[in-house]
Amino acid sequence: MSSPPPTPPPTSPTRIGGHYPGASSPSPKVGGTEGGNASGFKVDNPMPHILCEGNNAQPLDIIGATATDKLVLIMVGLPATGKTHTSKRIQRFLEFFHDIPCQIFNVGEYRRKICGINMPASFYDNDNKEGKRQRAEACDVALADLVNYMGLAGVRVGILDATNSTRERREYVKKVIREKKLGVKVMCIESICNDEELLAENIRTVKLNTPDYKDQPPELAMLDFLQRRENYKKHYESVTDLDGPHVIIHDCKKFIINRIRGYLPLKVVHFVMNLHTLPRTFFFTRHGQSEYNTRGKIGGDSGLSPNGMEYARRLGKWAKERVCVVDGKEVPARLWTSTLRRTKETAQFIDHPTIEAKFDDGFQHDWIQMRPMARRNLDELYAGSCDGMTYKEIEDVFPEEFKARQSDKLAYRYPRGESYMDVILRLEPLAHEMERTREPIMIIGHQGILRILYAYFMGLKREDAPYVSIPLNHVLKLNPHAYGCKEERTCLLSKMEMVADGQDEPITSMPVKANMKRVGSKNRIEELLREGGKGQGGEIGASPSWGPDDPVMNAPSC
Ligand code: F6P
């Protein structure tokens, strides 16, 4: 670090439009006539457009402001049709990408609390008067909580996750909501699953793992669950025009969209249409070590170092054996990179044979295995005027900027560059694509980008995302499912094997953040009630769940 720190050029490229009100030294002068660029051009702009959000503008606020409705989603469907999975994905998507508070009221959980677990299938038969009464009670308590929640200031979306299998029931729910005069929109989302295989998979992976079937032999549990479903079927009434605005999803394939109006309802519909609840796998890896990594510089567009090339070679072999083959069978798989050199070079040893594949849209055609797709929204967080500097240089040249980033890493926007908030915004369409895609996807990306995608799927708070550890030379395998996301990390190139040709990578300004909590959506209502309904914000609870040795926030390099 002995070379003199670079001075940023006054005309460095801008990716985000508008002025940067919070910038200190490296920002352009705002509102004066004295600013000039390298060619001597004087800017005469006495009435500059200044972004209204203030310092370190948070673009998601702009989006949030357009969605002023409150919305209740009434889930409808027989047991095991993916209602809970869909509810959880909607909640996650709205909260993480749009900062829209959203709470699920799962009647099954209320039922277990009120009536206990291990209730036999006969309990769910409408001819069983006592069972019917107790189930109605559970639904009423959940509904009362939902209504209470929707009345709070700042909350936006409530989801009633239950079978809601008769029109009478749905009418009742709507009546209760209407009578409270909360001014909320209501929409039904019905999930129909006639695909035997999908159903069996749903039952095996989700239902038989609920407390209802704790300690029961799987075969008996399966029979009981199928009987429970039959009991619901006897009285089941599908959603019709009489139910008002609704979406009907058939086997994650066919959709009926009826009378949906408004920003938020359409946002939900768009998301739901991209969603499927089948098992899937994502593989995340950063590019191999880059030349800039070895020099401690951030950003740039350098190629791979010798260590990086070695990682790329190993990744090529690993992808062939582990991404493209499932249970000994070759499966169609996808490969996404950013548009930057270091990710493309990391992908260079991955093979692209043509295979014949059958898809669930009924088509059978040739598939180019792992055909590389370079996506601009996977490019690394752009450090603007600081691009190509080391953290030390940033601290020396722009101490104010350095400090500002330390104090709010999520919202901090580099002068003429991006913030993590900006990155969240540009990754939203990508998240839709990831939700939609059924084949395994390998993403060769960058630290900042993968932190956001990882945090989204792993259920972390946005504030925690900029601190997630995504070490070089590792592949992170994620399997999202109805109740969370399973993760496996594999190291393909250990530190011991790396040639010492500089530093491993820039030593980040803030590698660890302690005292953070995973998103506890169950606690969300309590949190909001505690805040007196004043809306969002505030740390949940006091107990730290990330310590300095936490494997997510501070995963050791191998
Ligand atoms: O250091 C590698 C890198 O990908 C940089 O290019 C990027 O600026 C940085 O990581 C993002 O990490 P942080 O947000 O912790 O600075």
Side-chain angles (χ1 to χ4, degrees), residues 5 10 82 100 190 202 213 285 312 342 360 377 401 405 417 427 443 492 513 517:
I100 290 178
E190 180 178 10
N202 268 350
Y213 292 107
T285 175
R342 52 197 187 276
D360 78 339
N377 48 0
E401 294 296 325
R405 191 163 201 255
L427 286 175
I443 299 183
L492 299 188
K513 186 178 180 190
K517 264 182 99 70

Side-chain angles (χ1 to χ4, degrees), residues 64 67 91 94-96 98-102 156-157 263-264 524:
Q91 178 191 37
L94 293 178
E95 290 201 327
F96 190 81
H98 296 285
D99 201 17
I100 290 178
C102 178
R156 305 294 293 286
V157 178
Y263 177 87
L264 192 50
R524 187 79 167 163

Side-chain angles (χ1 to χ4, degrees), residues 286 293 298-299 342 380 391 405 409 414 420 447 451 505-506 508:
R286 283 172 69 186
N293 285 159
I298 64 167
R342 52 197 187 276
E380 181 56 307
Y391 289 114
R405 191 163 201 255
K409 199 176 179 191
Y414 279 108
Y420 271 99
Q447 174 161 248
R451 277 174 172 160
E505 62 169 323
T508 177

Side-chain angles (χ1 to χ4, degrees), residues 219-268:
E219 305 77 42
L220 287 185
M222 177 65 98
L223 285 176
D224 183 86
F225 188 81
L226 290 173
Q227 186 53 50
R228 185 200 293 192
R229 215 177 116 87
E230 285 306 311
N231 286 339
Y232 273 103
K233 242 184 185 172
K234 286 196 259 175
H235 305 274
Y236 189 76
E237 290 169 300
S238 210
V239 168
T240 68
D241 278 6
L242 297 173
D243 284 282
H246 64 262
V247 185
I248 305 178
I249 310 165
H250 290 261
D251 294 323
C252 300
K253 279 184 198 154
K254 188 174 114 186
F255 299 88
I256 294 172
I257 315 291
N258 196 326
R259 299 175 205 203
I260 309 290
R261 305 265 187 285
Y263 177 87
L264 192 50
L266 282 164
K267 202 79 208 146
V268 171

